[in-house]
Amino acid sequence: MSITVLVVEDDEDVRETTRLVLERQGFTVRTAADGAEGYELALELQPDVAVVDIGMPRVDGLTLTRMLAGSGTCPVPLLTARDLPEDQVIGFEAGAFDFVTKPFDSRVLAARLRSLVRRTAPPAGPESLGPLEIDRAARRVTRQGEALTLSPTEYDLLMLFLENRGIVLSRATILREVWGDSSWSDEHIVDVNIQRLRRRVGPGVITTVRGAGYRADAA
């Protein structure tokens, strides 16, 4: 599934760097230099997600977020150099779904955007992941016509791999996206749960990438 991202950022260097790193991660990216241009482009494109800088001329990021949230156009993670609690409270009250602090790791940003789209997208028809067929609307996973029984954690793990097909996910990224915390000292919980998921779904779905993490093959 191709994900379209609108990047609204007045700093040209940050805007172009963000565009390039997201395109390398497989996203379709359009950009705007300020909030007014971003709002017009969002209404035209109907992107899956808009990454919005807070401080911009004409229409600032918080105002744009309110406009996009009010129109139901797309979810917005705010791009900011500050991550103070009071800034986040104001952003969430404006309708933001997440915060991305500069500077950011391109792989982490990509994973967070895919996770956000996964959480907010309307149910789609069945999708394939290797030998699996996944119906998100029914939360049903089958392999060769046989329904698989997954725990909530196993299902969340599978959805994360589905949205990141072909991309290596580190244990820290998986912890953050599935358990909401990447600061645990023992990442063994990831290995244990992935082994359980593998037993449920069978071979040909999740590959171990030595020294890096795990990947679901794109095919």
Side-chain angles (χ1 to χ4, degrees), residues 123-169:
E127 301 171 77
S128 296
L129 183 63
L132 304 181
E133 187 172 85
I134 301 167
D135 186 337
R136 298 198 215 191
R139 290 181 67 90
R140 178 182 173 87
V141 181
T142 59
R143 181 179 178 122
Q144 297 177 338
E146 180 181 351
L148 306 180
T149 301
L150 304 181
S151 71
T153 297
E154 290 164 351
Y155 183 83
D156 288 345
L157 273 171
L158 189 61
M159 292 304 99
L160 181 63
F161 283 113
L162 177 66
E163 292 297 342
N164 292 275
R165 283 170 287 195
I167 296 173
V168 178
L169 299 177

Side-chain angles (χ1 to χ4, degrees), residues 6 30-32 36-47:
L6 173 61
R30 294 288 299 275
T31 64
E37 180 187 357
Y39 185 63
E40 293 178 1
L41 199 53
L43 293 181
E44 175 189 340
L45 290 176
Q46 296 292 307

